[in-house]
Amino acid sequence: MSRLGIFVDRKTLSNSEQLNALIHCRDVAENMGHDVEFIFPVDIAKIQKMDALFIRARTDPMNITYVAARMASFHGIPVIDDPQSIQICSDKVNMYSHLIKKGVSLPRTVFLSRNDLSIEYVAHLFDEMGSPLVVKEPSTSFSLRVEKVQNVAEFFKVARRFIKMSDWIVVQQFIESKYDWRVGVLDGKLLYACKYTIPSVTFKIQASVNGHIVYCGVESVPSHDMPPRVITLGIEAANAIGRGLYGVDIKNTNGDAYVIEVNDNPSLESGEDTCYPNVYHTIVSHLMKT
Ligand SMILES: Nc1ncnc2c1ncn2[C@@H]1O[C@H](COP(=O)(O)OP(=O)(O)O)[C@@H](O)[C@H]1O
Ligand SMILES: [Mg+2]
């Protein structure tokens, strides 16, 4: 019998949707004949006894989940997310550089260092890329450090804050849309697809508005109802990062499609997979195939 470890932490389990999703994942793996063990950070040494590891806690190279991924990979144990994917996806400069190298369709994107922050250069960016612009701190997640700026003064207000946290900031052409497509890809193949509807009070799929967090709506979409270009672009973007499990965010406006982000550790607990009942079966089969 093979053993599947699911790496979790207290935060993952404190969310009831996450908990249901994890129990569902366990049931699927057990019905496939595998032994399943939830592994907490204090039990990290158990990883070497597993035949595969599925990480379902927030990934970050500065976090214990990265150690878990490295440990699995060191022992030759198949792991989602693999350490390289965690490292690439946690840094937008690294992630976009992989996409640019493979010619994947993106909004126009530039990386600025502290030395590039002159009024002339920023004014030139507005001329070239239009207004508003989107500014991102490279380690952002959950839309936390992504801001829309209308002019040079607003740009500097945000950029000064972000450049204290990072050597680089990312500046992007603003792509207007009512929703983000999310294309789930595993090992270069479509796993699921859904639509994240952007709350009307913000341009991001999640934001803090007057002290309250507003979340996007989630609607699972069958593959035959997806624009084919969005699916192929999602797979292309995932393949530019690796062969693991990714959630690719795509905006599709005026017939053009642009990758906004490739996420490792994509969420699966909010109904993303409603139209795809085999998601966990496919993930477990992939992990346990060796
Ligand atoms: N270039 C862009 N144009 C329009 N909206 C954007 C752009 N980049 C990001 N967004 C919006 O902001 C959200 C957060 O941006 P993202 O790059 O995914 O950062 P994070 O890693 O913090 O989630 C996205 O889901 C998207 O809705
Ligand atoms: Mg995002």
Side-chain angles (χ1 to χ4, degrees):
M1 193 181 260
S2 339
R3 284 153 306 176
L4 171 67
I6 305 180
F7 193 83
V8 292
D9 60 16
R10 235 185 317 169
K11 203 158 168 230
T12 335
L13 300 186
S14 66
N15 173 320
S16 63
E17 289 178 330
Q18 253 311 354
L19 191 59
N20 287 339
L22 288 170
I23 289 170
H24 177 53
C25 178
R26 181 201 61 194
D27 291 349
V28 168
E30 284 181 352
N31 285 334
M32 291 167 75
H34 305 300
D35 246 352
V36 178
E37 192 162 344
F38 289 109
I39 300 179
F40 288 84
V42 285
D43 291 326
I44 195 166
K46 283 189 183 166
I47 286 175
Q48 43 192 307
K49 298 198 193 114
M50 299 295 134
D51 297 300
L53 185 69
F54 186 25
I55 298 177
R56 288 278 90 188
R58 197 170 77 83
T59 52
D60 183 322
M62 300 294 279
N63 172 314
I64 186 87
T65 47
Y66 183 67
V67 180
R70 285 290 299 263
M71 203 178 231
S73 149
F74 178 81
H75 291 287
I77 297 165
V79 58
I80 290 175
D81 305 288
D82 63 276
Q84 216 195 345
S85 296
I86 295 177
Q87 212 166 27
I88 297 169
C89 294
S90 68
D91 170 10
K92 287 202 164 25
V93 173
N94 197 344
M95 185 258 299
Y96 289 131
S97 298
H98 276 76
L99 300 181
I100 291 166
K101 206 156 92 189
K102 295 285 177 184
V104 176
S105 168
L106 294 181
R108 295 184 65 181
T109 301
V110 293
F111 308 134
L112 301 190
S113 72
R114 194 169 280 107
N115 295 337
D116 299 319
L117 294 181
S118 69
I119 291 174
E120 296 71 30
Y121 187 50
V122 172
H124 167 74
L125 289 180
F126 277 101
D127 288 344
E128 288 282 303
M129 292 161 70
S131 175
L133 290 175
V134 176
V135 184
K136 307 185 186 188
E137 191 278 307
S139 72
T140 176
S141 59
F142 302 106
S143 306
L144 274 177
R145 290 184 297 279
V146 174
E147 302 287 349
K148 191 164 73 167
V149 293
Q150 306 287 347
N151 53 45
V152 174
E154 276 184 25
F155 177 95
F156 274 97
K157 225 168 127 185
V158 173
R160 274 195 207 99
R161 184 155 58 90
F162 288 174
I163 204 74
K164 284 188 193 133
M165 297 178 218
S166 166
D167 290 337
W168 297 94
I169 55 175
V170 176
V171 181
Q172 240 172 21
Q173 171 196 11
F174 177 71
I175 309 289
E176 177 99 55
S177 75
K178 289 202 167 50
Y179 50 83
D180 282 7
W181 291 108
R182 165 64 61 97
V183 177
V185 180
L186 175 66
D187 190 22
K189 294 181 266 307
L190 178 76
L191 185 64
Y192 65 91
C194 68
K195 220 182 211 185
Y196 287 139
T197 308
I198 299 166
S200 57
V201 285
T202 174
F203 73 100
K204 304 188 277 195
I205 58 168
Q206 176 177 333
S208 171
V209 178
N210 300 329
H212 296 280
I213 307 279
V214 289
Y215 295 101
C216 56
V218 182
E219 184 197 333
S220 188
V221 181
S223 58
H224 56 83
D225 287 343
M226 289 289 295
R229 169 73 186 133
V230 171
I231 295 184
T232 50
L233 182 59
I235 292 173
E236 225 179 275
N239 287 345
I241 308 298
R243 302 299 297 186
L245 170 65
Y246 309 96
V248 184
D249 292 337
I250 294 175
K251 287 194 190 288
N252 190 25
T253 40
N254 306 327
D256 288 327
Y258 305 92
V259 173
I260 295 296
E261 184 184 24
V262 181
N263 295 279
D264 68 317
N265 202 246
S267 17
L268 284 167
E269 69 278 5
S270 308
E272 286 85 351
D273 58 344
T274 309
C275 299
Y276 300 82
N278 293 328
V279 160
Y280 287 109
H281 190 281
T282 310
I283 294 172
V284 175
S285 306
H286 174 78
L287 277 169
M288 305 305 259
K289 70 176 172 230
T290 44

Short mmCIF file of all heavy atoms in Angstrom, two decimals, residues 89 92 95-96 107-108 134 136-146 148 172-177 179-180 198 203-206 249 251 260-261 263, ligand 1:
data_model
loop_
_atom_site.label_atom_id
_atom_site.label_comp_id
_atom_site.label_asym_id
_atom_site.label_seq_id
_atom_site.Cartn_x
_atom_site.Cartn_y
_atom_site.Cartn_z
N CYS A 89 7.07 30.95 -8.51
CA CYS A 89 5.76 31.60 -8.42
C CYS A 89 5.68 32.61 -7.28
O CYS A 89 4.80 33.46 -7.28
CB CYS A 89 4.66 30.56 -8.28
SG CYS A 89 4.48 29.54 -9.76
N LYS A 92 7.24 37.61 -8.52
CA LYS A 92 6.65 37.96 -9.82
C LYS A 92 7.71 38.29 -10.87
O LYS A 92 7.48 38.06 -12.05
CB LYS A 92 5.65 39.10 -9.65
CG LYS A 92 4.37 38.61 -8.97
CD LYS A 92 3.21 39.50 -9.25
CE LYS A 92 1.88 38.85 -8.93
NZ LYS A 92 1.84 37.78 -7.94
N MET A 95 8.72 34.87 -12.02
CA MET A 95 7.60 34.23 -12.73
C MET A 95 7.39 34.86 -14.11
O MET A 95 7.36 34.16 -15.12
CB MET A 95 6.34 34.35 -11.85
CG MET A 95 5.11 33.64 -12.35
SD MET A 95 3.96 34.78 -13.12
CE MET A 95 3.56 35.87 -11.80
N TYR A 96 7.29 36.21 -14.16
CA TYR A 96 7.08 36.85 -15.47
C TYR A 96 8.28 36.63 -16.39
O TYR A 96 8.11 36.52 -17.59
CB TYR A 96 6.82 38.36 -15.31
CG TYR A 96 5.48 38.70 -14.71
CD1 TYR A 96 5.38 39.61 -13.65
CD2 TYR A 96 4.30 38.15 -15.21
CE1 TYR A 96 4.15 39.93 -13.09
CE2 TYR A 96 3.06 38.47 -14.66
CZ TYR A 96 3.00 39.36 -13.60
OH TYR A 96 1.78 39.68 -13.06
N PRO A 107 0.15 41.21 -20.30
CA PRO A 107 0.03 42.66 -20.46
C PRO A 107 1.46 43.21 -20.62
O PRO A 107 2.41 42.56 -20.16
CB PRO A 107 -0.56 43.13 -19.13
CG PRO A 107 -1.02 41.91 -18.42
CD PRO A 107 -0.25 40.75 -18.97
N ARG A 108 1.61 44.38 -21.20
CA ARG A 108 2.98 44.94 -21.28
C ARG A 108 3.51 45.09 -19.86
O ARG A 108 2.83 45.61 -18.97
CB ARG A 108 2.95 46.30 -21.98
CG ARG A 108 2.52 46.15 -23.43
CD ARG A 108 2.57 47.46 -24.14
NE ARG A 108 3.94 47.96 -24.25
CZ ARG A 108 4.26 49.11 -24.82
NH1 ARG A 108 3.31 49.87 -25.32
NH2 ARG A 108 5.51 49.50 -24.87
N VAL A 134 -0.72 49.37 -13.52
CA VAL A 134 -0.81 48.51 -12.33
C VAL A 134 0.60 48.32 -11.78
O VAL A 134 1.54 48.05 -12.53
CB VAL A 134 -1.44 47.15 -12.69
CG1 VAL A 134 -1.46 46.22 -11.48
CG2 VAL A 134 -2.86 47.35 -13.22
N LYS A 136 3.01 46.39 -8.86
CA LYS A 136 3.00 45.22 -7.97
C LYS A 136 4.32 45.09 -7.24
O LYS A 136 5.38 45.29 -7.83
CB LYS A 136 2.80 43.92 -8.77
CG LYS A 136 1.59 43.94 -9.68
CD LYS A 136 1.35 42.60 -10.37
CE LYS A 136 0.22 42.76 -11.37
NZ LYS A 136 -0.23 41.51 -11.97
N GLU A 137 4.24 44.73 -5.99
CA GLU A 137 5.44 44.35 -5.22
C GLU A 137 5.62 42.86 -5.51
O GLU A 137 4.66 42.08 -5.37
CB GLU A 137 5.18 44.65 -3.74
CG GLU A 137 6.42 44.57 -2.85
CD GLU A 137 6.74 43.17 -2.43
OE1 GLU A 137 5.85 42.50 -1.90
OE2 GLU A 137 7.89 42.73 -2.66
N PRO A 138 6.82 42.42 -5.93
CA PRO A 138 6.96 41.06 -6.48
C PRO A 138 6.53 39.90 -5.57
O PRO A 138 6.14 38.86 -6.07
CB PRO A 138 8.46 40.97 -6.79
CG PRO A 138 8.89 42.37 -7.00
CD PRO A 138 8.04 43.22 -6.09
N SER A 139 6.58 40.07 -4.26
CA SER A 139 6.22 38.94 -3.40
C SER A 139 4.73 38.96 -3.02
O SER A 139 4.30 38.18 -2.18
CB SER A 139 7.07 38.94 -2.13
OG SER A 139 6.66 40.00 -1.28
N THR A 140 3.95 39.83 -3.63
CA THR A 140 2.52 39.93 -3.27
C THR A 140 1.79 38.61 -3.49
O THR A 140 2.15 37.82 -4.36
CB THR A 140 1.82 41.03 -4.10
OG1 THR A 140 0.41 41.03 -3.80
CG2 THR A 140 1.99 40.81 -5.59
N SER A 141 0.76 38.37 -2.69
CA SER A 141 -0.19 37.30 -2.96
C SER A 141 -1.53 37.77 -2.41
O SER A 141 -1.59 38.73 -1.64
CB SER A 141 0.24 35.98 -2.33
OG SER A 141 0.37 36.12 -0.94
N PHE A 142 -2.60 37.09 -2.82
CA PHE A 142 -3.96 37.47 -2.41
C PHE A 142 -4.23 38.95 -2.73
O PHE A 142 -4.92 39.63 -1.96
CB PHE A 142 -4.20 37.18 -0.92
CG PHE A 142 -3.99 35.75 -0.57
CD1 PHE A 142 -2.86 35.33 0.13
CD2 PHE A 142 -4.91 34.79 -0.96
CE1 PHE A 142 -2.66 33.99 0.44
CE2 PHE A 142 -4.72 33.45 -0.65
CZ PHE A 142 -3.60 33.05 0.05
N SER A 143 -3.67 39.45 -3.79
CA SER A 143 -3.88 40.84 -4.27
C SER A 143 -3.41 41.90 -3.29
O SER A 143 -3.76 43.08 -3.44
CB SER A 143 -5.39 41.09 -4.56
OG SER A 143 -5.90 40.14 -5.44
N LEU A 144 -2.61 41.51 -2.30
CA LEU A 144 -2.28 42.44 -1.21
C LEU A 144 -1.50 43.67 -1.64
O LEU A 144 -1.81 44.78 -1.20
CB LEU A 144 -1.45 41.70 -0.15
CG LEU A 144 -2.23 40.94 0.92
CD1 LEU A 144 -1.27 40.21 1.85
CD2 LEU A 144 -3.12 41.90 1.72
N ARG A 145 -0.49 43.47 -2.46
CA ARG A 145 0.34 44.60 -2.86
C ARG A 145 0.30 44.77 -4.38
O ARG A 145 1.31 44.65 -5.08
CB ARG A 145 1.75 44.44 -2.31
CG ARG A 145 1.78 44.61 -0.77
CD ARG A 145 3.17 44.54 -0.18
NE ARG A 145 3.78 43.25 -0.39
CZ ARG A 145 3.56 42.16 0.36
NH1 ARG A 145 2.73 42.21 1.38
NH2 ARG A 145 4.17 41.03 0.09
N VAL A 146 -0.92 44.99 -4.86
CA VAL A 146 -1.18 45.29 -6.27
C VAL A 146 -2.06 46.53 -6.28
O VAL A 146 -3.12 46.54 -5.67
CB VAL A 146 -1.93 44.11 -6.95
CG1 VAL A 146 -2.34 44.46 -8.36
CG2 VAL A 146 -1.07 42.85 -6.93
N LYS A 148 -3.58 50.13 -8.52
CA LYS A 148 -3.81 50.80 -9.80
C LYS A 148 -3.48 52.27 -9.61
O LYS A 148 -3.95 52.87 -8.63
CB LYS A 148 -5.29 50.61 -10.15
CG LYS A 148 -5.67 51.01 -11.53
CD LYS A 148 -7.03 50.44 -11.89
CE LYS A 148 -8.15 51.16 -11.18
NZ LYS A 148 -9.47 50.85 -11.72
N GLN A 172 2.71 47.29 -14.91
CA GLN A 172 2.00 46.60 -15.98
C GLN A 172 0.91 47.47 -16.59
O GLN A 172 0.28 48.27 -15.89
CB GLN A 172 1.32 45.35 -15.39
CG GLN A 172 1.77 44.09 -16.02
CD GLN A 172 1.26 42.85 -15.33
OE1 GLN A 172 0.27 42.88 -14.61
NE2 GLN A 172 1.95 41.76 -15.57
N GLN A 173 0.71 47.25 -17.86
CA GLN A 173 -0.43 47.83 -18.56
C GLN A 173 -1.71 47.34 -17.87
O GLN A 173 -1.79 46.17 -17.47
CB GLN A 173 -0.35 47.32 -19.99
CG GLN A 173 -1.50 47.58 -20.88
CD GLN A 173 -1.41 46.66 -22.13
OE1 GLN A 173 -0.62 45.73 -22.22
NE2 GLN A 173 -2.24 46.97 -23.10
N PHE A 174 -2.69 48.21 -17.69
CA PHE A 174 -3.95 47.81 -17.06
C PHE A 174 -4.85 47.16 -18.11
O PHE A 174 -5.08 47.72 -19.18
CB PHE A 174 -4.65 49.05 -16.47
CG PHE A 174 -6.00 48.75 -15.88
CD1 PHE A 174 -6.10 48.03 -14.69
CD2 PHE A 174 -7.17 49.18 -16.50
CE1 PHE A 174 -7.34 47.74 -14.14
CE2 PHE A 174 -8.41 48.89 -15.94
CZ PHE A 174 -8.49 48.17 -14.76
N ILE A 175 -5.34 45.96 -17.79
CA ILE A 175 -6.27 45.27 -18.69
C ILE A 175 -7.64 45.25 -18.01
O ILE A 175 -7.81 44.63 -16.98
CB ILE A 175 -5.83 43.81 -18.96
CG1 ILE A 175 -4.36 43.73 -19.40
CG2 ILE A 175 -6.76 43.14 -19.96
CD1 ILE A 175 -4.07 44.26 -20.77
N GLU A 176 -8.57 45.93 -18.62
CA GLU A 176 -9.93 46.04 -18.04
C GLU A 176 -10.66 44.71 -18.21
O GLU A 176 -10.62 44.10 -19.26
CB GLU A 176 -10.66 47.15 -18.82
CG GLU A 176 -12.08 47.35 -18.42
CD GLU A 176 -12.21 48.53 -17.46
OE1 GLU A 176 -11.75 49.63 -17.83
OE2 GLU A 176 -12.75 48.32 -16.36
N SER A 177 -11.32 44.25 -17.15
CA SER A 177 -12.17 43.06 -17.31
C SER A 177 -13.09 42.91 -16.11
O SER A 177 -12.80 43.43 -15.04
CB SER A 177 -11.33 41.79 -17.46
OG SER A 177 -10.80 41.43 -16.21
N TYR A 179 -13.96 39.85 -15.01
CA TYR A 179 -13.56 38.64 -14.29
C TYR A 179 -12.20 38.15 -14.75
O TYR A 179 -11.73 38.51 -15.83
CB TYR A 179 -14.62 37.53 -14.45
CG TYR A 179 -15.03 37.29 -15.87
CD1 TYR A 179 -14.26 36.47 -16.70
CD2 TYR A 179 -16.17 37.88 -16.40
CE1 TYR A 179 -14.62 36.25 -18.01
CE2 TYR A 179 -16.53 37.66 -17.71
CZ TYR A 179 -15.76 36.84 -18.51
OH TYR A 179 -16.10 36.64 -19.81
N ASP A 180 -11.58 37.33 -13.91
CA ASP A 180 -10.36 36.62 -14.28
C ASP A 180 -10.76 35.18 -14.58
O ASP A 180 -11.54 34.59 -13.82
CB ASP A 180 -9.37 36.55 -13.08
CG ASP A 180 -8.61 37.85 -12.85
OD1 ASP A 180 -8.92 38.85 -13.51
OD2 ASP A 180 -7.70 37.84 -12.00
N ILE A 198 -14.79 39.74 -10.47
CA ILE A 198 -14.17 40.80 -9.67
C ILE A 198 -15.26 41.63 -8.99
O ILE A 198 -16.19 42.10 -9.66
CB ILE A 198 -13.27 41.67 -10.58
CG1 ILE A 198 -12.16 40.78 -11.17
CG2 ILE A 198 -12.68 42.85 -9.81
CD1 ILE A 198 -11.40 41.39 -12.31
N PHE A 203 -10.75 46.53 -8.55
CA PHE A 203 -10.33 45.92 -9.82
C PHE A 203 -9.65 44.58 -9.58
O PHE A 203 -9.24 43.91 -10.52
CB PHE A 203 -9.39 46.87 -10.58
CG PHE A 203 -8.01 46.95 -9.97
CD1 PHE A 203 -6.95 46.22 -10.52
CD2 PHE A 203 -7.77 47.72 -8.84
CE1 PHE A 203 -5.68 46.28 -9.95
CE2 PHE A 203 -6.49 47.76 -8.27
CZ PHE A 203 -5.46 47.04 -8.83
N LYS A 204 -9.54 44.18 -8.29
CA LYS A 204 -8.81 42.95 -7.95
C LYS A 204 -9.79 41.86 -7.53
O LYS A 204 -10.90 42.16 -7.09
CB LYS A 204 -7.84 43.22 -6.79
CG LYS A 204 -6.89 44.36 -7.08
CD LYS A 204 -5.83 44.50 -6.03
CE LYS A 204 -6.29 45.27 -4.82
NZ LYS A 204 -5.15 45.71 -3.97
N ILE A 205 -9.34 40.61 -7.59
CA ILE A 205 -10.29 39.53 -7.22
C ILE A 205 -10.51 39.48 -5.72
O ILE A 205 -11.42 38.83 -5.25
CB ILE A 205 -9.89 38.14 -7.79
CG1 ILE A 205 -8.50 37.70 -7.32
CG2 ILE A 205 -9.96 38.10 -9.28
CD1 ILE A 205 -8.22 36.25 -7.62
N GLN A 206 -9.69 40.19 -4.99
CA GLN A 206 -9.88 40.25 -3.54
C GLN A 206 -9.30 41.58 -3.09
O GLN A 206 -8.28 42.01 -3.58
CB GLN A 206 -9.08 39.10 -2.92
CG GLN A 206 -9.07 39.06 -1.43
CD GLN A 206 -8.30 37.81 -0.95
OE1 GLN A 206 -8.23 36.80 -1.63
NE2 GLN A 206 -7.71 37.90 0.20
N ASP A 249 -4.11 32.69 -14.01
CA ASP A 249 -5.12 33.75 -14.12
C ASP A 249 -4.97 34.44 -15.47
O ASP A 249 -3.87 34.86 -15.84
CB ASP A 249 -4.93 34.78 -13.00
CG ASP A 249 -5.25 34.19 -11.64
OD1 ASP A 249 -6.00 33.19 -11.60
OD2 ASP A 249 -4.74 34.70 -10.63
N LYS A 251 -6.85 37.23 -18.33
CA LYS A 251 -7.88 38.19 -18.71
C LYS A 251 -8.06 38.09 -20.22
O LYS A 251 -7.09 37.96 -20.97
CB LYS A 251 -7.46 39.60 -18.32
CG LYS A 251 -7.55 39.83 -16.81
CD LYS A 251 -7.48 41.30 -16.50
CE LYS A 251 -7.33 41.56 -15.01
NZ LYS A 251 -8.54 41.27 -14.24
N ILE A 260 -2.20 37.00 -16.33
CA ILE A 260 -1.97 37.94 -15.24
C ILE A 260 -1.02 37.32 -14.22
O ILE A 260 -0.18 38.00 -13.65
CB ILE A 260 -3.31 38.34 -14.57
CG1 ILE A 260 -4.20 39.10 -15.55
CG2 ILE A 260 -3.09 39.14 -13.29
CD1 ILE A 260 -3.66 40.44 -16.02
N GLU A 261 -1.15 36.03 -14.04
CA GLU A 261 -0.32 35.40 -13.02
C GLU A 261 -0.38 33.88 -13.15
O GLU A 261 -1.41 33.33 -13.52
CB GLU A 261 -0.85 35.79 -11.63
CG GLU A 261 -0.01 35.26 -10.52
CD GLU A 261 -0.57 35.57 -9.14
OE1 GLU A 261 -1.79 35.80 -8.99
OE2 GLU A 261 0.23 35.57 -8.21
N ASN A 263 -0.08 30.84 -10.48
CA ASN A 263 -0.01 30.54 -9.05
C ASN A 263 0.37 29.08 -8.85
O ASN A 263 -0.22 28.20 -9.49
CB ASN A 263 -1.40 30.71 -8.40
CG ASN A 263 -1.87 32.15 -8.44
OD1 ASN A 263 -1.48 32.96 -7.62
ND2 ASN A 263 -2.71 32.50 -9.42
N1 LIG B 1 -2.33 44.20 -15.44
C1 LIG B 1 -3.50 44.11 -14.80
N2 LIG B 1 -4.62 44.73 -15.29
C2 LIG B 1 -5.79 44.66 -14.61
N3 LIG B 1 -5.96 44.02 -13.45
C3 LIG B 1 -4.90 43.39 -12.91
C4 LIG B 1 -3.60 43.39 -13.56
N4 LIG B 1 -2.74 42.71 -12.79
C5 LIG B 1 -3.45 42.27 -11.72
N5 LIG B 1 -4.74 42.65 -11.80
C6 LIG B 1 -5.83 42.32 -10.84
O1 LIG B 1 -5.28 42.28 -9.54
C7 LIG B 1 -5.40 40.95 -8.98
C8 LIG B 1 -4.12 40.63 -8.22
O2 LIG B 1 -2.99 40.64 -9.06
P1 LIG B 1 -1.93 39.45 -9.10
O3 LIG B 1 -0.89 39.77 -10.10
O4 LIG B 1 -2.64 38.15 -9.27
O5 LIG B 1 -1.27 39.55 -7.64
P2 LIG B 1 -1.37 38.60 -6.36
O6 LIG B 1 -0.27 37.62 -6.50
O7 LIG B 1 -1.21 39.49 -5.19
O8 LIG B 1 -2.69 37.88 -6.40
C9 LIG B 1 -5.63 40.03 -10.17
O9 LIG B 1 -6.40 38.92 -9.86
C10 LIG B 1 -6.35 40.94 -11.17
O10 LIG B 1 -7.73 40.83 -10.98
#
